[in-house]
Amino acid sequence: MADQENWGESVTILLVVEAGDWPDEDKLETLIRRSCRACAEELEIELMPDAEISAVFVNDDRMKTLNNDWRNQDKPTNVLSFPSSDRKGSSWGPMLGDIVFAFETISRESREIGIPLENHLCHLIVHGILHLFGYDHISDEDAVEMETAETHILEHMSIPDPYGAASV
């Protein structure tokens, strides 16, 4: 098993930029790796040594199609997660799942909320990772649990509570 303390470093990140005016791939991988490290500090999750996450960066048109195909929502959303549900006993992996991010929506939200794009993107990366591990926000109780986890993880990253001033 991957060392629980270091899985934020050891997880393989498969990164694809399809469309959008995203930062360069090195910067995106740095943000994902930073978010993984913070999740590893907060979550008590064991990963297989060859665990991997796929991160896909798209534009709103592509996200609208994905959101309609998978959730019957004919509009773009900021992030979609596709957990692989690949779990053996207490260990997760090797494939953890896919997370897809929509550039225009995330950019607009960060401007509207008045926070740096990087902070908002890190929040959504953490949000997506939590979905890969079974967190959800369908019920009010689940939403509180997920938002609490996000807030604690972002605190590790020195990112202010995204729910303190506005909701995503």
Side-chain angles (χ1 to χ4, degrees), residues 53-103:
I53 292 173
S54 171
V56 183
F57 295 85
V58 301
N59 60 20
D60 274 8
D61 287 339
R62 177 71 172 127
M63 181 62 89
K64 179 181 177 182
T65 299
L66 290 170
N67 203 23
N68 192 39
D69 289 350
W70 290 94
R71 298 177 61 232
N72 294 316
Q73 301 284 321
D74 192 26
K75 62 183 180 180
T77 187
N78 51 21
V79 62
L80 285 174
S81 295
F82 301 94
S84 72
S85 301
D86 200 2
R87 188 173 183 182
K88 311 284 188 282
S90 63
S91 295
W92 293 78
M95 187 59 195
L96 302 176
D98 305 320
I99 309 172
V100 184
F101 304 91
F103 181 75

Side-chain angles (χ1 to χ4, degrees), residues 1-143:
M1 282 186 236
D3 180 355
Q4 184 173 334
E5 298 299 317
N6 292 325
W7 73 253
E9 292 296 328
S10 64
V11 67
T12 299
I13 298 166
L14 305 173
L15 191 139
V16 176
V17 177
E18 284 187 7
D21 193 20
W22 294 101
D24 67 51
E25 289 185 18
D26 289 339
K27 180 64 174 180
L28 291 172
E29 184 168 347
T30 298
L31 295 175
I32 295 167
R33 183 103 24 229
R34 180 176 172 224
S35 299
C36 284
R37 276 194 305 271
C39 286
E41 291 173 14
E42 182 67 26
L43 304 175
E44 295 181 10
I45 292 175
E46 295 177 27
L47 297 184
M48 293 180 177
D50 53 352
E52 62 184 55
I53 292 173
S54 171
V56 183
F57 295 85
V58 301
N59 60 20
D60 274 8
D61 287 339
R62 177 71 172 127
M63 181 62 89
K64 179 181 177 182
T65 299
L66 290 170
N67 203 23
N68 192 39
D69 289 350
W70 290 94
R71 298 177 61 232
N72 294 316
Q73 301 284 321
D74 192 26
K75 62 183 180 180
T77 187
N78 51 21
V79 62
L80 285 174
S81 295
F82 301 94
S84 72
S85 301
D86 200 2
R87 188 173 183 182
K88 311 284 188 282
S90 63
S91 295
W92 293 78
M95 187 59 195
L96 302 176
D98 305 320
I99 309 172
V100 184
F101 304 91
F103 181 75
E104 293 90 348
T105 297
I106 293 171
S107 296
R108 184 187 72 253
E109 289 173 348
S110 69
R111 284 191 309 274
E112 289 171 353
I113 298 168
I115 62 172
L117 176 65
E118 282 187 17
N119 284 6
H120 191 44
L121 182 54
C122 284
H123 173 211
L124 295 173
I125 293 167
V126 167
H127 185 89
I129 290 170
L130 289 175
H131 275 307
L132 298 184
F133 293 120
Y135 284 77
D136 213 325
H137 44 81
I138 294 172
S139 74
D140 289 344
E141 183 178 294
D142 289 343

